[in-house]
Amino acid sequence: MAHTFQMVVDDVRVTLNDEDGVRYTDPQLMGYCNDGVQEMWRIRPDFRLGMGWLNTYVEYTLSDEVPLPHNVAHLLNYYVVFRSELRDDEYSEGTRAANLRALWEKELKRG
């Protein structure tokens, strides 16, 4: 079964307690998804193997398949949650957003 961005957004909404889409819009979460894919490719260019090495930014939609290896696709969820919570918690230190960012980086580098 293909792992789509809609699945990522749905999973993230559960984590953020925003199943109704009141706090975060689909375009906001998709923006974080797009940023997350680009950031993951920047840190781990090997995730793009077989996809070509285009330097262009791709704007994915909810129906698109997540262009990451299956074993690390869940890390995109961490990225989107941390970015979403960073917006709500930008002035706090040691927050859930910061902890998620650290976990995301650690898991990403371990791949």
Side-chain angles (χ1 to χ4, degrees):
M1 174 185 220
H3 191 74
T4 65
F5 285 101
Q6 182 66 63
M7 295 166 79
V8 171
V9 168
D10 291 345
D11 288 346
V12 164
R13 285 195 185 285
V14 170
T15 304
L16 294 171
N17 294 316
D18 188 37
E19 289 90 349
D20 297 329
V22 175
R23 291 173 48 213
Y24 306 96
T25 65
D26 283 349
Q28 283 173 318
L29 295 177
M30 270 310 301
Y32 298 150
C33 285
N34 283 311
D35 292 347
V37 168
Q38 295 297 316
E39 186 69 4
M40 290 172 80
W41 283 346
R42 185 186 68 76
I43 294 170
R44 292 290 306 269
D46 56 309
F47 288 170
R48 286 188 87 161
L49 291 176
M51 298 182 63
W53 293 94
L54 299 175
N55 288 327
T56 58
Y57 180 81
V58 178
E59 192 76 26
Y60 294 102
T61 64
L62 288 169
S63 60
D64 290 332
E65 191 171 329
V66 176
L68 295 167
H70 183 67
N71 63 322
V72 296
H74 69 281
L75 295 178
L76 184 59
N77 294 35
Y78 293 171
Y79 182 88
V80 176
V81 170
F82 116 69
R83 284 286 305 272
S84 300
E85 292 199 347
L86 189 62
R87 181 191 82 174
D88 293 340
D89 226 2
E90 70 181 281
Y91 298 109
S92 299
E93 292 187 29
T95 64
R96 182 175 169 184
N99 293 336
L100 276 170
R101 170 75 186 194
L103 175 63
W104 175 78
E105 283 185 26
K106 177 183 166 191
E107 293 292 319
L108 183 61
K109 290 176 182 173
R110 191 168 58 160

